[in-house]
Amino acid sequence: MSRARVLVLNSALGPLDYRVPHGMSVEPGSVVVAPLGPRQLLGVVWEPERMPSDAEVGDNRLRNLVGVLPVPALAAPLRRLIEWTADYYLSSPAAVVRMALASTSALEGSKTITEYRATGDVPGRLTPQREQALERIGATQGLIRELAAIAEVSDAVIRGLVKTGALEPVEVDIDSPFPLPDPAFAAPALSPDQRAASATLVADVSARAFAPTLLDGVTGSGKTEVYFEAVAAAIRENRQCLVLLPEIALTEPFLKRFAARFGVQPVAWHSGLRSSQRRRAWRAIASGQALVTVGARSALFLPYANLGLIVVDEAHETSFKQEEGVHYHARDVAVMRGKFEQIPVILASATPAIETRQQVALGRYAEVKLPGRWGAAEMPAITAIDLIAEPPERGRWIAPRLLTAMTETLERREQVLLFLNRRGYAPLTLCRTCGHRFQCPNCTAWMVEHRLVRRLACHHCGHTEPVPKVCPECQNEDTLAAVGPGVERIADEVTALFPDAKIAVVTSDTMWSPAKAAEFVARMEAHDIDIVVGTQLVTKGYHFPNLTLVGVIDADLGLDGGDLRASERTFQQIMQVAGRAGRGAKPGHVYIQTHSPGASVMQALVSGDAEAFYAAETEHRREAGAPPFGRFAGIVVSSEDQAAAVETARLIGRAAPDPDTLDGAMEVYGPAPAPLAMLRGRHRYRLLVHAKRGLDVQDVIRDWLGRVEWPAKVRVVVDVDPYSFV
């Protein structure tokens, strides 16, 4: 191969051709270093017929590739996935490839680091700190900072021990292999329903063919134990497994659960890893040594050497939709990777999305059901509290009936969870004198008061500022009022009502890492927490047998905003948080505070008639031609210059295809200011494309936008199958 088509990691460039110098060997998928002007860029060799170039030149004008990196080539199934993702989500192939090469340090050769261990020698000058360090380090080997942390001394103390010869250096390969999971380590005793479900999934793994399956089981039914049997089957065949989780906070509890079943932890992949950890994981995955990977959505594009199974846990979760960069949905891309790899894909959920249910109805996905909870546990009773008929006391947010239930639960030494999907103390702060409202200077959003840190914060751009002592408009003191509740305000109310109770506030502000999640789980299991006040972070993945009461403070919150999936999301979220109650032998109860007890979603929650609710929601979608019966695509135009954003949005709107030329298969609405009209200092306008299911909407949009030119300072983003309409 003397000429190579290279997809360089620059989204502004298309694929480029290079000469392969004599003595260098490349193949499709090889990771290479390519010159571009005075710079050198990473790139991947691609099949020319699958990646056409607009910049083809003669052989005499080609520049030589600089080198080939010592990592396995990206396999053909992964290259097909990259092509499909870029095409379907109207994204740059280079942006998708970048997700596959997510650790640049992993692309270099093997590396070693210096660790230290005790030699057994005792230094002549043995200070109390040195004595403490040697005692606590014992046989442990690690970096200077790690040993200092273990010994609870400064780095200087450890360096002093190295100089005296009490600690000796050891060269360590940082790509040391991960311990292998044992599929027979602690095989569980499954119920008859679980055995039947796991047998189906295990058979799919053994068949080594594409088989998407919905594992639909109520909360607490043991879905994890069931798909663990499919994971065990893949491990026995020495094939790799990927388990996707929707939240980084769920990773640590999952690792603990996995280790209890397989003897060791799986390989983790998420944004909280250090660079060295990402490098080690990437190389182990690419070599095939890492047999099980658990991670966030980005783990989907890693270069697995021998993938045998993909599991998408909590597959209904909207956080699987990427809202920045490549706007892909990990659930759907996971199914496509399964198709290209010819392997089974398990979508596990207690509240499957309507899109997934429709695929089952069409026969494209198989379905395995777990209708009951495991063992003696039963589903909790759900009761709606009409806030109009039974309002809380003035200045409070917890209704009397829920308060009584909390008192009785705590008297039984059982645990309580209060759910409100709103961070901070209050969503709005205003002046009682002049009415001034605190708005983010960068976004069209109110500043949220966080009383624990005494700051006002924007949850969209991250801007923070101190809570002022006077109103910035009228200069009056003591006139600022917090409007509405957030979890911190509910926690304050609970503290006043139950002064002896141990209370934990669980949000992304307080549980931002897997380590924090592990600390929370340990406290709950040790009954060091009586009442949890939390957001959606506590609605899924946790198993606390002593938690028997769940109170939903504002069940109507998710119904605001005009989102087509609002009712479905509310149902899923409340069912998930309700599922935290009564997971052990003790029965559970759930109280839902609502101003609309007659709403269909509230009635479905109380009656437990999920099938009727989903049937009605599905029919509404069908009548509206909304997904999964129609197609949506959002076009978002943004710029720091409002006039440029407006003009570009209008230009795109005027260039929209005539519906008559498409036989009425597509309508375009807008442009209009986005509900979040300014975000991070950029003015935003939206167009919404609504198309019939059979239309190739990507080709239409690609041709449409290809005819329009806009200034470099304007950004145009296409969101295919949008989940956010703000």
Side-chain angles (χ1 to χ4, degrees):
M1 182 175 209
S2 61
R3 183 182 178 118
R5 176 70 45 83
V6 178
L7 186 60
V8 293
L9 298 193
N10 185 325
S11 298
L13 299 172
L16 303 173
D17 287 348
Y18 288 90
R19 180 185 295 112
V20 181
H22 180 70
M24 182 185 292
S25 176
V26 300
E27 60 178 313
S30 292
V31 184
V32 297
V33 179
L36 186 71
R39 296 176 296 158
Q40 293 183 351
L41 299 179
L42 287 176
V44 178
V45 176
W46 223 269
E47 301 94 327
E49 65 276 12
R50 302 196 68 94
M51 194 67 66
S53 173
D54 297 330
E56 288 198 45
V57 297
D59 290 351
N60 62 325
R61 296 178 58 192
L62 296 179
R63 298 181 67 180
N64 285 347
L65 288 173
V66 176
V68 184
L69 296 183
V71 293
L74 302 189
L78 178 54
R79 298 199 303 276
R80 302 295 83 82
L81 180 76
I82 290 168
E83 293 166 0
W84 180 87
T85 303
D87 179 72
Y88 186 87
Y89 292 104
L90 295 174
S91 183
S92 157
V96 187
V97 169
R98 190 178 296 278
M99 293 191 289
L101 305 179
S103 172
T104 52
S105 67
L107 305 178
E108 304 165 4
S110 347
K111 281 187 176 181
T112 61
I113 56 173
T114 302
E115 294 185 341
Y116 297 86
R117 65 186 177 195
T119 61
D121 295 341
V122 179
R125 182 169 168 267
L126 189 63
T127 65
Q129 282 193 313
R130 287 182 172 183
E131 185 177 11
Q132 174 181 313
L134 290 174
E135 181 181 335
R136 294 190 180 183
I137 288 170
T140 304
Q141 179 174 304
L143 301 172
I144 284 179
R145 65 176 178 271
E146 292 172 340
L147 296 181
I150 292 169
E152 295 184 352
V153 297
S154 68
D155 290 4
V157 173
I158 303 299
R159 290 193 182 95
L161 289 171
V162 172
K163 288 179 181 178
T164 64
L167 296 177
E168 64 179 357
V170 181
E171 288 294 311
V172 177
D173 182 358
I174 64 173
D175 297 328
S176 57
F178 289 91
L180 298 178
D182 178 4
F185 179 76
L190 301 178
S191 69
D193 284 343
Q194 290 174 325
R195 282 198 300 272
S198 64
T200 300
L201 302 180
V202 168
D204 287 343
V205 172
S206 301
R208 300 195 175 208
F210 175 53
T213 301
L214 169 62
L215 176 56
D216 182 358
V218 299
T219 54
S221 60
K223 294 184 292 297
T224 305
E225 285 71 18
V226 167
Y227 72 65
F228 270 177
E229 295 308 293
V231 170
I235 294 171
R236 291 188 189 98
E237 298 180 8
N238 203 36
R239 305 186 76 198
Q240 293 173 292
C241 304
L242 167 62
V243 180
L244 292 179
L245 300 177
E247 301 277 359
I248 184 175
L250 294 179
T251 306
E252 197 68 22
F254 182 90
L255 298 181
K256 182 179 177 182
R257 201 165 174 182
F258 185 94
R261 169 63 178 87
F262 293 101
V264 299
Q265 291 196 348
V267 176
W269 184 271
H270 52 74
S271 59
L273 297 179
R274 301 193 309 270
S275 175
S276 59
Q277 293 173 313
R278 291 173 74 83
R279 171 196 162 88
R280 183 187 178 205
W282 193 97
R283 290 180 70 85
I285 287 166
S287 69
Q289 191 274 322
L291 286 182
V292 181
T293 301
V294 55
R297 55 181 178 251
S298 59
L300 187 54
F301 289 93
L302 296 177
Y304 301 92
N306 185 25
L307 196 56
L309 173 67
I310 298 174
V311 178
V312 184
D313 205 349
E314 309 287 0
H316 62 279
E317 273 294 319
T318 56
S319 53
F320 278 124
K321 179 65 191 283
Q322 172 91 3
E323 298 291 355
E324 300 286 341
V326 183
H327 286 59
Y328 69 95
H329 197 301
R331 179 195 65 215
D332 300 336
V333 177
V335 172
M336 290 308 298
R337 180 148 201 185
K339 182 176 181 180
F340 290 125
E341 300 274 1
Q342 284 298 295
I343 60 172
V345 179
I346 300 170
L347 307 179
S349 176
T351 52
I354 288 175
E355 288 85 349
T356 303
R357 288 172 170 267
Q358 181 63 12
Q359 294 294 333
V360 171
L362 294 173
R364 294 173 183 165
Y365 294 1
E367 183 179 32
V368 173
K369 279 185 170 289
L370 293 172
R373 283 190 158 180
W374 187 85
E378 296 181 357
M379 292 299 291
I382 299 180
T383 302
I385 298 177
D386 184 347
L387 290 176
I388 297 175
E390 304 178 60
E393 291 183 20
R394 185 175 179 82
R396 290 187 174 175
W397 308 95
I398 301 174
R401 192 153 30 135
L402 175 56
L403 186 58
T404 299
M406 292 174 65
T407 303
E408 294 170 351
T409 302
L410 294 175
E411 286 174 351
R412 296 194 300 269
R413 295 194 51 75
E414 295 167 3
Q415 292 165 308
V416 177
L417 166 61
L418 297 181
F419 169 69
L420 176 64
N421 202 27
R422 185 183 274 154
R423 293 157 54 200
Y425 183 84
L428 173 64
T429 299
L430 56 75
C431 175
R432 286 189 294 259
T433 301
C434 70
H436 173 77
R437 299 182 178 194
F438 287 85
Q439 183 170 315
C440 175
N442 308 314
C443 307
T444 316
W446 306 122
M447 298 286 280
V448 177
E449 181 180 349
H450 286 252
R451 195 158 288 186
L452 292 177
V453 292
R454 299 180 181 178
R455 308 282 289 181
L456 295 173
C458 174
H459 290 171
H460 298 283
C461 72
H463 172 80
T464 64
E465 58 189 57
V467 179
K469 294 181 179 178
V470 300
C471 173
E473 192 159 322
C474 68
Q475 300 300 311
N476 282 327
E477 292 188 28
D478 300 324
T479 61
L480 301 182
V483 180
V487 287
E488 291 178 14
R489 192 168 199 164
I490 301 302
D492 277 3
E493 180 176 338
V494 171
T495 301
L497 292 167
F498 302 98
D500 297 328
K502 300 171 188 172
I503 300 163
V505 176
V506 179
T507 74
S508 57
D509 301 309
T510 62
M511 199 164 75
W512 63 84
S513 69
K516 284 289 183 182
E519 179 185 329
F520 165 64
V521 171
R523 289 187 63 201
M524 283 292 288
E525 291 176 345
H527 207 140
D528 190 37
I529 298 173
D530 298 310
I531 303 172
V532 180
V533 184
T535 60
Q536 62 170 341
L537 277 186
V538 294
T539 64
K540 48 196 173 285
Y542 294 108
H543 177 78
F544 303 126
N546 202 43
L547 197 161
T548 59
L549 177 65
V550 168
V552 180
I553 299 299
D554 186 354
D556 308 320
L557 185 60
L559 296 174
D560 298 333
D563 182 355
L564 77 103
R565 297 181 176 88
S567 291
E568 182 189 14
R569 285 181 178 178
T570 297
F571 182 84
Q572 290 169 335
Q573 198 167 69
I574 294 178
M575 282 299 292
Q576 288 289 331
V577 72
R580 299 314 104 199
R583 295 175 69 94
K586 300 174 183 177
H589 204 116
V590 180
Y591 288 93
I592 303 173
Q593 297 190 165
T594 174
H595 289 91
S596 308
S600 61
V601 62
M602 301 304 164
Q603 291 182 337
L605 287 164
V606 172
S607 68
D609 193 350
E611 292 306 317
F613 170 76
Y614 274 112
E617 282 292 304
T618 301
E619 192 54 36
H620 293 159
R621 299 263 194 100
R622 193 192 307 272
E623 291 170 358
F629 305 103
R631 303 286 305 279
F632 281 141
I635 301 176
V636 182
V637 181
S638 68
S639 175
E640 293 179 1
D641 181 343
Q642 185 173 16
V646 171
E647 180 54 35
T648 300
R650 289 173 178 169
L651 189 65
I652 291 173
R654 288 194 295 267
D658 185 340
D660 292 339
T661 64
L662 299 172
D663 298 323
M666 188 177 98
E667 294 284 347
V668 178
Y669 303 99
L676 200 56
M678 180 181 279
L679 179 65
R680 302 185 187 99
R682 300 181 68 87
H683 299 275
R684 305 169 72 245
Y685 291 81
R686 291 186 66 103
L687 297 94
L688 180 65
V689 176
H690 183 195
K692 291 184 177 178
R693 191 75 199 170
L695 181 69
D696 189 342
V697 72
Q698 286 90 345
D699 268 358
V700 173
I701 294 175
R702 195 179 289 113
D703 179 62
W704 166 16
L705 295 183
R707 300 193 306 268
V708 181
E709 293 186 6
W710 53 82
K713 62 184 175 182
V714 176
R715 185 184 303 155
V716 178
V717 174
V718 180
D719 186 2
V720 177
D721 301 339
Y723 270 62
S724 171
F725 294 87
V726 298

